[in-house]
Amino acid sequence: MPPGKAPLRTLALGLLLALGGALLASAQNPPHVERSAPRATIALDIAWAHVTVEYGRPSTRGRAIFGQELPFDRVWRLGADEATRLTTTASLSIGGVEVPGGSYSLFVIPRSHTWTVIVNRIAHLWGAWNWNPAQDLGRVELAIETLETPIDTLTLNLAPQAEREKEGSLTIAWERSQITVPLRVLGDPPAPPPPPDTKAPPPH
């Protein structure tokens, strides 16, 4: 092999690998894409768990959404821009899906009478086109409640369950559709820290 060929090939291979990695990263969170909707963060303390949900809030702007802009039976990021992200400091049951403490993305498959809510292990994703079902932690199918007054802007809300310290709910409402996802803290509360040692140090 002529001198200099091997280093050039190694350099070219390294550049291709770097380019591939950059393209993959930009597919997950494209740095050049501007957000199309405002972001919102909601939070709730349930027993010893602190739960937050961050999502993009698109508006109908006169459009028909479900079954039109968002086709039925297709995975939706549950908002605009980045996939909706849920973070919990303690293990939760989300509609019956056991979710350890941590951060996750939420997706929805809308249908005419039910929605399927998906909890996915990959917390930071842009859109739904690189959603990987192999990373799904679980799914729950919930019936739709039809609202009398339409909701123009996608609205998520966290609320406690009255008289049930370890339970709460996540409601998702847009247009005339609403679902309620039950939440429940799992396990036992963390042990309290030990009391400080107040003994005087021994004399020297």
Side-chain angles (χ1 to χ4, degrees):
M1 179 180 296
K5 290 288 187 181
L8 286 174
R9 287 184 179 177
T10 302
L11 178 61
L13 180 59
L15 288 172
L16 286 173
L17 290 173
L19 178 61
L23 289 173
L24 177 60
S26 84
Q28 291 178 337
N29 288 294
H32 61 282
V33 177
E34 294 185 2
R35 287 174 173 158
S36 61
R39 302 291 290 177
T41 300
I42 56 176
L44 176 67
D45 290 320
I46 311 174
W48 55 90
H50 182 68
V51 182
T52 61
V53 177
E54 181 185 354
Y55 70 109
R57 301 195 66 201
S59 298
T60 61
R61 300 196 304 273
R63 302 169 297 170
I65 301 299
F66 297 110
Q68 299 291 325
E69 289 289 327
L70 294 175
F72 290 139
D73 299 310
R74 185 178 298 178
V75 172
W76 170 44
R77 73 190 88 184
L78 184 51
D81 308 317
E82 298 99 323
T84 291
R85 183 163 55 252
L86 178 143
T87 300
T88 173
T89 59
S91 295
L92 291 180
S93 167
I94 299 179
V97 177
E98 293 191 10
V99 177
S103 293
Y104 304 85
S105 56
L106 299 180
F107 296 89
V108 164
I109 301 176
R111 300 183 180 87
S112 57
H113 295 93
T114 63
W115 285 2
T116 299
V117 177
I118 302 170
V119 184
N120 190 275
R121 295 180 180 89
I122 309 301
H124 298 273
L125 288 172
W126 185 283
W129 52 83
N130 51 11
W131 158 73
N132 182 358
Q135 294 296 327
D136 289 349
L137 195 63
R139 302 181 176 201
V140 56
E141 188 169 356
L142 297 163
I144 293 171
E145 176 189 353
T146 301
L147 302 174
E148 292 185 5
T149 303
I151 305 294
D152 181 65
T153 301
L154 174 67
T155 300
L156 274 60
N157 185 53
L158 286 166
Q161 186 72 271
E163 299 181 2
R164 296 184 181 181
E165 180 191 3
K166 296 174 65 175
E167 297 184 18
S169 63
L170 168 65
T171 58
I172 304 165
W174 202 15
E175 280 193 317
R176 292 185 180 273
S177 296
Q178 177 174 290
I179 62 168
T180 301
V181 186
L183 308 175
R184 180 166 54 87
V185 180
L186 300 176
D188 299 316
D197 188 359
T198 56
K199 294 180 180 178
H204 293 289

